[in-house]
Amino acid sequence: MAKDLIILAYSGGLDTSCILKWLIQKNYDVVCYMADIGQDENFGEAKKKALGIGAKDVIIEDLRSEFVTNYMLPAVQMGLVYESRYYLGTSLARPCISVGIVNAAKKLGAKYISHGATGKGNDQVRFELSVYSLWPDGKVIAPWRLPEFFNRFQGRSDLLEYAKKEQIPVSATPKAPWSTDENIMHISYESGVLEDPGAIPPKGIYKMTRDLQEADDYPTIIDITFEKGLPVTLNIPSGHEKSLIIRDPLKIVETLNKLGGQHGIGRIDIVENRFLGLKSRGLYETPAGTILHLAHLDLEAYALDREVLRLKKILQDKMSDFVYNGFWFSPEATYTRKCLELSQQSVTGEVTVQLFKGNVTISARKSPTSLYNKDLVSMDIAGGFSPEDSTGFININAIRLKEFSRYSNNTK
Amino acid sequence: MAKDLIILAYSGGLDTSCILKWLIQKNYDVVCYMADIGQDENFGEAKKKALGIGAKDVIIEDLRSEFVTNYMLPAVQMGLVYESRYYLGTSLARPCISVGIVNAAKKLGAKYISHGATGKGNDQVRFELSVYSLWPDGKVIAPWRLPEFFNRFQGRSDLLEYAKKEQIPVSATPKAPWSTDENIMHISYESGVLEDPGAIPPKGIYKMTRDLQEADDYPTIIDITFEKGLPVTLNIPSGHEKSLIIRDPLKIVETLNKLGGQHGIGRIDIVENRFLGLKSRGLYETPAGTILHLAHLDLEAYALDREVLRLKKILQDKMSDFVYNGFWFSPEATYTRKCLELSQQSVTGEVTVQLFKGNVTISARKSPTSLYNKDLVSMDIAGGFSPEDSTGFININAIRLKEFSRYSNNTK
Amino acid sequence: MAKDLIILAYSGGLDTSCILKWLIQKNYDVVCYMADIGQDENFGEAKKKALGIGAKDVIIEDLRSEFVTNYMLPAVQMGLVYESRYYLGTSLARPCISVGIVNAAKKLGAKYISHGATGKGNDQVRFELSVYSLWPDGKVIAPWRLPEFFNRFQGRSDLLEYAKKEQIPVSATPKAPWSTDENIMHISYESGVLEDPGAIPPKGIYKMTRDLQEADDYPTIIDITFEKGLPVTLNIPSGHEKSLIIRDPLKIVETLNKLGGQHGIGRIDIVENRFLGLKSRGLYETPAGTILHLAHLDLEAYALDREVLRLKKILQDKMSDFVYNGFWFSPEATYTRKCLELSQQSVTGEVTVQLFKGNVTISARKSPTSLYNKDLVSMDIAGGFSPEDSTGFININAIRLKEFSRYSNNTK
Amino acid sequence: MAKDLIILAYSGGLDTSCILKWLIQKNYDVVCYMADIGQDENFGEAKKKALGIGAKDVIIEDLRSEFVTNYMLPAVQMGLVYESRYYLGTSLARPCISVGIVNAAKKLGAKYISHGATGKGNDQVRFELSVYSLWPDGKVIAPWRLPEFFNRFQGRSDLLEYAKKEQIPVSATPKAPWSTDENIMHISYESGVLEDPGAIPPKGIYKMTRDLQEADDYPTIIDITFEKGLPVTLNIPSGHEKSLIIRDPLKIVETLNKLGGQHGIGRIDIVENRFLGLKSRGLYETPAGTILHLAHLDLEAYALDREVLRLKKILQDKMSDFVYNGFWFSPEATYTRKCLELSQQSVTGEVTVQLFKGNVTISARKSPTSLYNKDLVSMDIAGGFSPEDSTGFININAIRLKEFSRYSNNTK
């Protein structure tokens, strides 16, 4: 009888290598799936390793452009920030990878999808909710939540022992005392020595960005152009006739990562609230994402009507939670995304940004669609404005306040 | 017959000096009121000038501690930020000054309050709504909104001519090509050459903070302690046994202004939406305020329950608008403030902050009241957590998504 | 020299008749504009009256279908209710009439629009904000806010005297001791004896609906069909093969008004908050609107995803305020309306409604697009549901609560 | 060795009787707990039955006053309504019962709490989240979610067979083809024949309220007095010198249930969204709750400032979801409840209510703390109002709209 086929989200690391072996020993056929979303990884070597362990096949898919175009840049457009600070680099990658792995599973006629995410984290949720949305009849095997598995492998040493026994190659590099998640948008660092929120993180932890002390000593000034809220061109340096113009979304992000990295831009160290109800401490570096988000924020305030901005803000805060919690493909996120896109029809224009010593300094912005009216606001030009009107405006607004004041005095 | 008494909010500048004279010529008795809220001002000279013009008296009141304790630090506690970026330095000062001037008016039996705010701005609204809340029977005279006044004085040159004619002394220093508002929390710059949002601001405009290129070459690391969301102590440098400990609120702010200024912290250049419906461009520097807000934001996320944080965020966004629009003393702001204070009962602890080259880097935080549970989140300790529970949690959350997916496929 | 042309929103009543005369005496050419939005009015007689007073022309426009199709039914679709109870009958009519009058003004080359709305009310705001949105260069003359007018006409007796003197015909019917506003959606009653919120309204005040004691003694059961949130057919009686099917929007509303009226449906007596900051007491009867809103509310809850319903609710509450305050044509209402329409894509189906003695009783609903899954919810069928999953779901949700409980006990 | 003690939430019905026996057979000591929250139940007989089956003891606790005072009336004060229609009668009872059973468990040194709620419903969640909040170290046994139990008892016939075998007495009355939940606030009906949302409910299903056709033929007019949002007195009939005055909260509710029942008040038939993500159809009758909520809603709009009302509405919608989902004792509900109570400081006064044929008609209201100002709103009195101010108010509000209009025309 044919074995059931599992597609395993494979990273090449110790955990998923042991899971691969364990699944094979549980009598499954296993095809490994690796998405290239910009992480620093030797895919060839990982493939060799997986095949060596016994994978039927290894699929490697370059999703970098897909990730940038359909997840990262829309997140900029929508203004997604979790708990006021985190740009959701990991959260955005999960649905993107899920599309890849579900497509593979459907194509190969797999019955299961498996992954190495642990039971306390957000990624299991993001991954599985995406899978179930895309493939309601699909089934997920999460070994780290199966007593049979997690009771057997209670710590790293159990995995190492199993690897040794099963001849799974183990990286010679000693494991960092924290865990990381990496893609073209960001790298996150958490767990291990970082679990104490009162402990200052060790030096040298960050990989995409330089320490402020090592950052470039001269600023870089660039122009970023947006159309309907989406970044579309990058000019380096700003305002030069012969400046380099980049239009490919992936290339824009790569370039801004490099520049942002040189200038030490986009690091945060925060305690956040996970969907499961736990608090965790994480470090994130998001160079290009930070630059793009701050430029977009500036242009949006410049272009949008005040009350539309208020409405958009409410939806944006909701959407940030949806994405963080893994609901990218949910009815609510699908709906909110459409509404947020609608809000961005006039967010078109150019923002001048200076990068320097960790700072993203906005110094000018232009927009053909902005509601800004220089004459109207000018101190020197009436611009169709009648100052007497302000008196009426203030007096009418004061009605409620006077009533409240009289009432409060009466009831004191 | 006795003349009616007016209290004039006096700044010592050209506008309010001309207004002072004009009011006297309109047959009013005028007492000038000057609040010291930390602006760079020679109060003695201003007093002499006002008396010379004909003021019955000049009241100078030091409101710096009052402003810091009852407006600026509560704004930090409440997390007030207007349109995601502006810490409301001017908006917070207006109600504080209004209390001072209304008290003076009541004490002296004045019939009117007058001010030099212009008809397109926010300050007239903030000032007058505060006055009417505190003194529902009070009356405000706003010359810049009276046709008789604004038709006569159509530009600066008309004022200068009037000053010359009426022997009002005029500062020898040429006026900057922009206007500023200054207090211990911040300085704002707007109008004039800044009215073009696409024009990069001239060099040397900022006064409280150094340019990043001139900022200190070594970081300063400090600890800030909060109790129920309010900053209560400042330790410099962080973690030293013999570090300087500052507890006086005013002194904390002054010290952070100095440190923040040396490190080039707290500048923004934004386009904002005024209450009257105009868009305007402003530059702000808020050194101490920026440091305190970012430290508070970090501690709050660490200490508060996730869902309480969500509710607080909604109220905080509302309150920011109320304060910006001048409704500090309104029923809604009074209510929201109480709710926001209630949310801060457990926001107690210490935040370690590094100041360097414009960056406020949070690197550690401690709190006896935080809901953070290290064992619970640890990758190495079960901490009472059953991984199987996550499976049920995910599966139940997937119910809606699967239904939506099935439905969407059916109706395609 | 040619006189300036004014278009006057004319009602045929005492106020606008006097205003018409007054404007003519101020040397304007005046064309009267009357919109038929379903009010009980003798338009022919009103026209004769206006021409007799001296109007250059009288335009009578039947906007009933326009009002129903583009304002009333979309309000049902969007679920607009002001302060939880008022279906906005008057607020919705104002922008509709404004379109008509602005079109007339543009066509005739008028310079001004004038109306008889008073200075304390909402209608002046709704009317003028609509006019300014549609015609930014237009100008409005509101006599009741001009000192020259309101000082001369301080009460009804001054108007009556003026009418007598100027030979303006006055209705023989004595004025009711309250004021009303009437259209095909509702009649409102306010002012006069109704100004005391503690006074029980006089008998016989309502015109569209019977008193409950006089209501029909047998119920009427009907089916209402919606497509994407909009009512499209009315079947009377419910479930009969040969039932009457009505598809014309205006006819649907007229029929439901008649049925609702017979059954005494849709009266409220409330105190509401006006945009100007005053509180006022109003009585409203909205028979068809009440039936349609309650049927739509039921179908929507049946069809929509839970979280989309939450988002829609937030937007609907915002939109209700926008419309009440006169911002129908604002950027925020334009945006919100698009978002609300997006939410209604799956609100398609049929609702069975019983009308009886003031009650709108929903007893059944069907929808091809509902997410309701009978097997899933059944107590007798597993329907793909694993009860163990609920355990995990509850336990994970309990994490935050247990942490909070432990923390609260510790800090007691 | 001593057996572990379980407290079982016992109803006297077939399910919990079988669970009682089953737990005893699993070698537990079981004490049954019955809360009297106003349901129609023969507690003596149920006790006898439980003891007969083998319960160690049966605790019967009268929680009716507790439920009314600390759950139902605060819900009226907070304005809690789930999905715009459901007054949360069942949701409010669960935390109340949980306090009782947890106290019993702690007092008796029990290790477990058990209940008969099923795996698809809300009540398991409400019950367990309450228990875990009150007793973080407590454990819950939910047999209907244990495979061992639910696989054995797959339908009612399995339970009946088990009852027969184990000599558990079974009620002679045939089970209704739906399930009910009953307390002093409401009765709910769901499942069985009601599972089809398109099926009109069978006649005679309701128990607390008369059908409209059978309702009293004369109205009852009453006065309800509130203090800080809480109902405190009931006067019957309204406005009579010698009217009956009821002050005891439980008595107020009982009386209003009786009156409401006679007048057929408080029925709804809805489809709602369960916390687990399923949609379900439910019928509810809530006579006293409906009257109290509508009276409170009226007084609140009369007394509260407009903007405070808006803030309260946001919090009230949040709180309704928290309570429905079982989070009564959560940090967010604890916080929101305090905020909502704060909002009610001025909601004091009297509402006159007519009950008739299913209608709760508010016809008058009085409040010493209302912000309503009759002179201010009067059409006949200026009341300190200057009509010219409205012109300025409108013109300033039009600024944004004109800009948007010009911009929209330009970009067409």
Side-chain angles (χ1 to χ4, degrees), chain B residues 350-368:
Chain B
E350 185 187 279
V351 182
T352 302
V353 181
Q354 175 187 288
L355 312 176
F356 186 56
K357 296 283 181 198
N359 296 273
V360 178
T361 306
I362 311 294
S363 50
R365 72 289 290 162
K366 287 171 198 157
S367 166

Side-chain angles (χ1 to χ4, degrees), chain C residues 82-85 118-120 124-125 128-129 132-134 136-137 144-145 147 150 191 194-201 212-213 219 269-271 273-281 294 297-298 301-306 309-310 313 317 321 327 329-332 334 352 354 356-359 361-366 370-372 374-383 385 387-388 390-391 393-395 397-398 400-402 404-406 409, chain D residues 82-85 118-120 124-125 128-129 132-134 136-137 144-145 147 150 191 194-201 212-213 219 269-271 273-281 294 297-298 301-306 309-310 313 317 321 327 329-332 334 352 354 356-359 361-366 370-372 374-383 385 387-388 390-391 393-395 397-398 400-402 404-406 409:
Chain C
Y82 186 67
E83 295 190 339
S84 307
R85 293 180 290 179
T118 55
K120 288 180 175 177
Q124 52 173 350
V125 190
E128 297 183 29
L129 292 185
Y132 292 135
S133 286
L134 296 163
D137 301 318
W144 280 123
R145 296 199 312 258
F150 69 72
S191 305
L194 301 174
E195 271 165 17
D196 176 3
I200 294 182
L212 295 178
Q213 283 84 343
D269 172 345
I270 64 170
V271 173
N273 289 290
R274 289 196 189 153
F275 185 30
L276 266 63
L278 297 73
K279 284 181 176 289
S280 71
R281 193 252 199 116
L294 294 177
L297 180 68
D298 186 78
Y302 180 46
L304 282 193
D305 171 76
R306 182 184 67 199
L309 189 65
R310 295 291 177 282
K313 185 66 162 40
D317 285 351
D321 282 0
F327 290 83
F329 293 111
S330 67
E332 59 270 32
T334 304
T352 302
Q354 175 187 289
F356 186 55
K357 297 280 180 197
N359 297 274
T361 306
I362 312 294
S363 50
R365 70 290 289 164
K366 286 173 198 155
S370 167
L371 291 167
Y372 188 91
K374 204 178 149 184
D375 284 358
L376 185 58
V377 78
S378 170
M379 295 294 281
D380 305 317
I381 307 168
F385 185 90
E388 307 97 305
S390 300
T391 304
F393 181 72
I394 294 169
N395 288 345
N397 272 298
R400 263 191 328 113
L401 311 190
K402 289 180 179 179
F404 178 67
S405 181
R406 287 200 182 101
N409 290 330
Chain D
Y82 186 66
E83 295 188 340
S84 308
R85 293 182 289 179
T118 56
K120 288 181 176 177
Q124 54 173 349
V125 190
E128 297 183 30
L129 292 186
Y132 291 136
S133 287
L134 297 163
D137 301 318
W144 279 122
R145 297 199 312 258
F150 70 72
S191 305
L194 302 175
E195 272 165 16
D196 177 2
I200 294 181
L212 293 178
Q213 284 84 343
D269 171 345
I270 64 170
V271 173
N273 289 291
R274 288 194 189 156
F275 185 31
L276 267 63
L278 297 72
K279 284 181 177 290
S280 71
R281 192 255 199 114
L294 294 177
L297 181 66
D298 185 79
Y302 179 46
L304 281 192
D305 171 76
R306 180 184 69 200
L309 190 65
R310 296 291 176 285
K313 185 67 162 39
D317 285 352
D321 281 1
F327 289 83
F329 294 111
S330 68
E332 60 270 32
T334 304
T352 301
Q354 175 187 289
F356 185 58
K357 296 282 181 195
N359 297 273
T361 305
I362 310 295
S363 49
R365 69 292 288 163
K366 287 172 198 156
S370 168
L371 290 168
Y372 187 91
K374 204 178 150 186
D375 285 357
L376 185 58
V377 79
S378 171
M379 295 294 279
D380 305 317
I381 306 169
F385 185 89
E388 307 98 303
S390 299
T391 303
F393 181 73
I394 293 170
N395 288 346
N397 272 297
R400 263 191 330 111
L401 310 191
K402 289 180 178 180
F404 179 67
S405 182
R406 288 201 181 101
N409 290 332

Side-chain angles (χ1 to χ4, degrees), chain A residues 82-85 118-120 124-125 128-129 132-133 136-137 144-145 147 150 191 195-201 212-213 219 269-271 273-281 297-298 301-304 306 309-310 313 317 321 327 329-332 352 356-359 362-365 371-372 374-379 381-382 385 387-388 390-391 393-395 397-398 400-402 404-406, chain B residues 82-85 118-120 124-125 128-129 132-133 136-137 144-145 147 150 191 195-201 212-213 219 269-271 273-281 297-298 301-304 306 309-310 313 317 321 327 330-332 352 356-359 362-366 371-372 374-379 381-382 385 387-388 390-391 393-395 397-398 400-402 404-406:
Chain A
Y82 185 65
E83 296 189 340
S84 308
R85 291 181 291 179
T118 55
K120 288 181 177 178
Q124 54 174 348
V125 190
E128 297 181 29
L129 292 186
Y132 292 135
S133 287
D137 301 318
W144 280 122
R145 295 199 311 257
F150 70 71
S191 306
E195 272 165 14
D196 177 3
I200 294 181
L212 294 178
Q213 283 84 344
D269 172 345
I270 63 170
V271 172
N273 289 292
R274 289 194 188 154
F275 185 31
L276 268 63
L278 297 72
K279 284 181 176 288
S280 72
R281 192 251 199 118
L297 181 67
D298 185 79
Y302 180 46
L304 283 192
R306 180 184 68 200
L309 189 66
R310 295 291 176 286
K313 185 67 161 41
D317 285 352
D321 281 1
F327 289 83
F329 294 111
S330 67
E332 60 269 33
T352 302
F356 185 55
K357 297 283 182 197
N359 296 274
I362 311 294
S363 49
R365 72 289 289 160
L371 290 169
Y372 187 91
K374 206 179 149 184
D375 285 356
L376 185 59
V377 78
S378 171
M379 296 293 281
I381 306 168
F385 185 89
E388 308 98 303
S390 299
T391 303
F393 181 73
I394 293 170
N395 288 347
N397 272 296
R400 266 194 322 114
L401 310 190
K402 289 181 179 179
F404 180 65
S405 182
R406 287 201 182 102
Chain B
Y82 185 66
E83 294 189 341
S84 306
R85 292 181 291 179
T118 56
K120 287 180 176 178
Q124 53 174 348
V125 190
E128 296 181 31
L129 292 185
Y132 291 135
S133 287
D137 301 319
W144 281 122
R145 295 198 314 256
F150 70 70
S191 306
E195 272 165 15
D196 177 3
I200 294 181
L212 293 178
Q213 284 83 343
D269 172 344
I270 64 169
V271 173
N273 289 293
R274 288 196 189 153
F275 185 31
L276 266 64
L278 297 72
K279 284 182 175 289
S280 72
R281 192 252 199 116
L297 181 67
D298 186 80
Y302 180 45
L304 282 193
R306 182 184 67 200
L309 189 65
R310 295 291 176 285
K313 185 67 161 41
D317 285 351
D321 282 1
F327 289 83
S330 67
E332 59 269 32
T352 302
F356 186 56
K357 296 283 181 198
N359 296 273
I362 311 294
S363 50
R365 72 289 290 162
K366 287 171 198 157
L371 290 168
Y372 187 91
K374 206 178 148 184
D375 284 358
L376 185 59
V377 78
S378 171
M379 296 293 281
I381 307 168
F385 185 90
E388 307 98 303
S390 299
T391 303
F393 180 73
I394 294 169
N395 289 346
N397 272 297
R400 264 192 326 115
L401 311 190
K402 289 181 179 179
F404 179 67
S405 182
R406 287 200 181 102

Side-chain angles (χ1 to χ4, degrees), chain B residues 19-94:
Chain B
I19 288 173
L20 169 56
K21 190 72 192 178
W22 186 81
L23 289 170
I24 292 167
Q25 291 177 336
K26 302 295 287 181
N27 210 30
Y28 291 107
D29 275 348
V30 186
V31 168
C32 289
Y33 179 89
M34 300 188 79
D36 177 0
I37 45 165
Q39 72 274 44
D40 179 22
E41 180 68 57
N42 188 327
F43 289 98
E45 215 159 280
K47 180 171 184 168
K48 223 174 87 186
K49 186 172 170 180
L51 293 172
I53 294 168
K56 284 282 147 192
D57 196 2
V58 177
I59 300 169
I60 296 166
E61 200 166 7
D62 182 353
L63 297 178
R64 291 175 307 148
S65 277
E66 172 71 10
F67 175 55
V68 164
T69 305
N70 290 331
Y71 298 84
M72 179 181 173
L73 299 191
V76 168
Q77 182 193 35
M78 293 189 274
L80 306 189
V81 201
Y82 185 66
E83 294 189 341
S84 306
R85 292 181 291 179
Y86 167 40
Y87 289 127
L88 296 164
T90 300
S91 326
L92 289 162
R94 295 297 164 246

Side-chain angles (χ1 to χ4, degrees), chain A residues 255-319:
Chain A
T255 310
L256 286 177
N257 272 339
K258 191 160 161 283
L259 288 174
Q262 282 166 224
H263 289 292
I265 284 163
R267 295 179 177 183
I268 54 166
D269 172 345
I270 63 170
V271 172
E272 74 199 51
N273 289 292
R274 289 194 188 154
F275 185 31
L276 268 63
L278 297 72
K279 284 181 176 288
S280 72
R281 192 251 199 118
L283 276 54
Y284 301 93
E285 52 182 345
T286 318
T290 301
I291 299 166
L292 290 169
H293 266 287
L294 294 176
H296 177 267
L297 181 67
D298 185 79
L299 184 63
E300 184 179 73
Y302 180 46
L304 283 192
D305 171 76
R306 180 184 68 200
E307 298 305 315
V308 174
L309 189 66
R310 295 291 176 286
L311 294 161
K312 194 245 160 186
K313 185 67 161 41
I314 292 170
L315 294 171
Q316 149 190 332
D317 285 352
K318 296 272 174 196
M319 186 71 181

Side-chain angles (χ1 to χ4, degrees), chain C residues 164-385:
Chain C
K164 198 175 167 191
K165 189 182 136 212
E166 303 292 343
Q167 292 178 293
I168 299 169
V170 175
S171 162
T173 328
K175 201 196 163 296
W178 53 76
S179 71
T180 69
D181 178 72
E182 182 175 354
N183 62 47
I184 199 171
M185 183 170 177
H186 91 337
I187 306 180
S188 70
Y189 310 88
E190 54 174 28
S191 305
V193 298
L194 301 174
E195 271 165 17
D196 176 3
I200 294 182
K203 285 246 161 197
I205 194 168
Y206 291 101
K207 289 167 59 183
M208 294 175 92
T209 55
R210 289 193 204 156
D211 283 355
L212 295 178
Q213 283 84 343
E214 316 297 321
D216 279 0
D217 279 329
Y218 46 88
T220 303
I221 303 180
I222 58 176
D223 293 323
I224 305 173
T225 309
F226 293 83
E227 261 177 45
K228 302 191 176 183
L230 285 169
V232 288
T233 59
L234 172 62
N235 284 35
I236 308 172
S238 163
H240 276 237
E241 245 179 63
K242 299 190 172 175
S243 67
L244 177 68
I245 302 180
I246 303 173
R247 290 206 171 80
D248 174 62
L250 178 57
K251 194 79 191 146
I252 289 176
V253 170
E254 286 175 339
T255 310
L256 287 177
N257 271 338
K258 191 160 163 284
L259 287 174
Q262 282 166 225
H263 288 292
I265 285 163
R267 296 179 177 183
I268 54 168
D269 172 345
I270 64 170
V271 173
E272 73 198 52
N273 289 290
R274 289 196 189 153
F275 185 30
L276 266 63
L278 297 73
K279 284 181 176 289
S280 71
R281 193 252 199 116
L283 276 54
Y284 301 94
E285 53 182 343
T286 317
T290 301
I291 298 166
L292 290 170
H293 266 287
L294 294 177
H296 177 267
L297 180 68
D298 186 78
L299 183 63
E300 183 178 72
Y302 180 46
L304 282 193
D305 171 76
R306 182 184 67 199
E307 298 304 316
V308 173
L309 189 65
R310 295 291 177 282
L311 294 161
K312 195 247 160 183
K313 185 66 162 40
I314 292 170
L315 294 171
Q316 150 191 332
D317 285 351
K318 295 272 175 196
M319 187 70 180
S320 303
D321 282 0
F322 298 156
V323 172
Y324 183 86
N325 291 340
F327 290 83
W328 179 271
F329 293 111
S330 67
E332 59 270 32
T334 304
Y335 173 61
T336 308
R337 187 170 167 182
K338 281 183 202 152
C339 293
L340 285 168
E341 283 168 2
L342 264 178
S343 77
Q344 299 292 301
Q345 295 306 302
S346 64
V347 183
T348 292
E350 184 187 279
V351 182
T352 302
V353 182
Q354 175 187 289
L355 312 176
F356 186 55
K357 297 280 180 197
N359 297 274
V360 179
T361 306
I362 312 294
S363 50
R365 70 290 289 164
K366 286 173 198 155
S367 166
T369 50
S370 167
L371 291 167
Y372 188 91
N373 181 332
K374 204 178 149 184
D375 284 358
L376 185 58
V377 78
S378 170
M379 295 294 281
D380 305 317
I381 307 168
F385 185 90

Side-chain angles (χ1 to χ4, degrees), chain B residues 297-338:
Chain B
L297 181 67
D298 186 80
L299 184 63
E300 185 178 71
Y302 180 45
L304 282 193
D305 171 75
R306 182 184 67 200
E307 298 305 316
V308 173
L309 189 65
R310 295 291 176 285
L311 294 162
K312 194 246 160 185
K313 185 67 161 41
I314 292 170
L315 294 172
Q316 150 191 330
D317 285 351
K318 295 273 175 197
M319 186 69 182
S320 302
D321 282 1
F322 298 156
V323 172
Y324 183 85
N325 291 341
F327 289 83
W328 180 271
F329 293 111
S330 67
E332 59 269 32
T334 304
Y335 173 61
T336 308
R337 187 169 168 184
K338 279 183 205 154

